[in-house]
Each structure stands twice: as structure tokens, then as C-alpha cells.
């Protein structure tokens, strides 16, 4: 809008929108980086459980740690910025993830599957969020929560075979999901940040020119 119909109010509003979108993406990136760290820890736990002889106490400790990682991941999924849930899609006022059971046996997404967007330029909208069902591949082959539940349950059952096969595969798939998420978020963030910087420069230069008239 600013480019086609310059006014201080319009340009200020556009700039604020771009900056807010960039902030949202940075928050998503922070959460996804935390998710990456959690999955890395889960991967190491799986390797430990599959490759080392364990006592009942050892398996119980691995299961407890896996359950802690699961709860940390749920907290990431329900993180907020300025009172809005990051991974809720366009439904930002309620926690997007709910759980079943104690210990947790399932994680359900109740947010909106639509990404929030900002109009970066005439005819160009850029996503400023990743809905949680996509970000964590809920129900998919890379379901982040399901992978952590499987890790915990395999350790609880002393299932070394599962730890070295299906659980390992599930964690690897979840890591791929989060890696792709980070790539998408990083690309959008870079685009919005670049456009916000350009617009800010335009506003300053135009304001200065008008003041000189």
C-alpha cells in the first residue's frame, strides 16, 4: 500500500506489520531450535537404550528422561508471544495442543491449520507462522510427539529392538520435519526483514524530502 499510495500513516502501518511478522517468525524459529535440541537428546537416549546392556533401573531412567522431553516439546508447541500462541495458526488465543492420558499417550492439535500472513507488497503475502499441525507433523510419518511417546514406551517395555529400529526411524523423520520447518521460517524471516529495512529507508528518505519542500 505504501508504495502505491504514500502517506505517513499508511507507511507506518505497513512497516509495523512487517516488523510484527518478522518478530513472529523469530519466535517460531526460537521454538523450532528448541525442538531440534529436544530431538537431539531423544536421539541420544534411543542410541543409549539400544546399544547398551541395561538394568531395570537404567531403562526406567531412560523412560523418565524421554517423558520429560515429551513434556518439554508440548511446552514448545504451546509457547506464546505477547499473549498469542505461536503455533496455533490463525487461532491464537487458546493453546493449540492438548494431551490425553497420564503419562501422555497422545497429543492432539486443536489450532487452526491456516498460517498467519502479512501483505509484504501489492499482491505478495508471506506466511508469518507455521500452524502446529504442520510444524510438528501431527498424524504424519514425522509426528514429533508420537516419536517421543514411542521412545518412552519402548524404554518402559525394555524393547531394545524397537529402540534400534522403529523408534530410531521415527525420531529421524521428526528431525527432518523440524529441519524443513526451520528452512521455511528462515526464508520468510529473511524476506520480511529485508523488505522492512527497505521500507524504513523509503519512509525516512521521503519524509526528509517532504520536510525540505
Amino acid at each position: 500500500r505504501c508504495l502505491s499510495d504514500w502517506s505517513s500513516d499508511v507507511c507506518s502501518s505497513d512497516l509495523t506489520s512487517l516488523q510484527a511478522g518478522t518478530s513472529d517468525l523469530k519466535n517460531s524459529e526460537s521454538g523450532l531450535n528448541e525442538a531440534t535440541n529436544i530431538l537431539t537428546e531423544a536421539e541420544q537416549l534411543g542410541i543409549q537404550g539400544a546399544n547398551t546392556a541395561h538394568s531395570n533401573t537404567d531403562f526406567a531412567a531412560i523412560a523418565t528422561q524421554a517423558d520429560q522431553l515429551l513434556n518439554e516439546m508440548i511446552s514448545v508447541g504451546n509457547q506464546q508471544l505477547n499473549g498469542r500462541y505461536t503455533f496455533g495458526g490463525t487461532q491464537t488465543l487458546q493453546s493449540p495442543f492438548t494431551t490425553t492420558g497420564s503419562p501422555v499417550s497422545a497429543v492432539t492439535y486443536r489450532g487452526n491449520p491456516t498460517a498467519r500472513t502479512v501483505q509484504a507488497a501489492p499482491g505478495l503475502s508471506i506466511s508469518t507462522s507455521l500452524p502446529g499441525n504442520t510444524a510438528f507433523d501431527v498424524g504424519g510419518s514425522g509426528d514429533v510427539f508420537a516419536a517421543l511417546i514411542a521412545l518412552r514406551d519402548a524404554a518402559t517395555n525394555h524393547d531394545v529392538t524397537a529402540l534400534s529400529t522403529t523408534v530410531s526411524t521415527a525420531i529421524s523423520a521428526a528431525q527432518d520435519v523440524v529441519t524443513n520447518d526451520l528452512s521455511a521460517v528462515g526464508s520468510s524471516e529473511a524476506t520480511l526483514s529485508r523488505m522492512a529495512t527497505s521500507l524504513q529507508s523509503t519512509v525516512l528518505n521521503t519524509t526528509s524530502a517532504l520536510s525540505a519542500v
Side-chain angles (χ1 to χ4, degrees), residues 144-164:
V144 172
F145 303 108
L148 294 172
I149 291 171
L151 170 62
R152 181 203 61 206
D153 290 350
T156 298
N157 297 326
H158 304 183
D159 192 341
V160 174
T161 300
L163 286 168
S164 62

Side-chain angles (χ1 to χ4, degrees), residues 79-202:
Q79 74 175 25
Q80 299 178 63
L81 176 66
N82 299 325
R84 297 193 308 165
Y85 287 94
T86 302
F87 295 107
T90 58
Q91 189 167 300
T92 61
L93 299 182
Q94 70 172 8
S95 57
F97 292 101
T98 59
T99 62
T100 301
S102 181
V104 175
S105 59
V107 178
T108 303
Y109 183 67
R110 62 173 182 173
N112 189 291
T114 304
R116 300 190 299 278
T117 62
V118 63
Q119 186 175 355
L124 174 62
S125 292
I126 295 179
S127 296
T128 60
S129 71
L130 276 178
N133 61 319
T134 299
F136 298 91
D137 198 27
V138 177
S141 60
D143 189 320
V144 172
F145 303 108
L148 294 172
I149 291 171
L151 170 62
R152 181 203 61 206
D153 290 350
T156 298
N157 297 326
H158 304 183
D159 192 341
V160 174
T161 300
L163 286 168
S164 62
T165 55
T166 54
V167 171
S168 176
T169 299
I171 291 174
S172 178
Q175 289 174 315
D176 288 343
V177 166
V178 176
T179 296
N180 290 335
D181 289 344
L182 281 167
S183 178
V185 167
S187 177
S188 294
E189 182 187 331
T191 299
L192 282 188
S193 180
R194 183 171 60 251
M195 297 188 77
T197 299
S198 176
L199 180 56
Q200 189 169 34
S201 177
T202 298

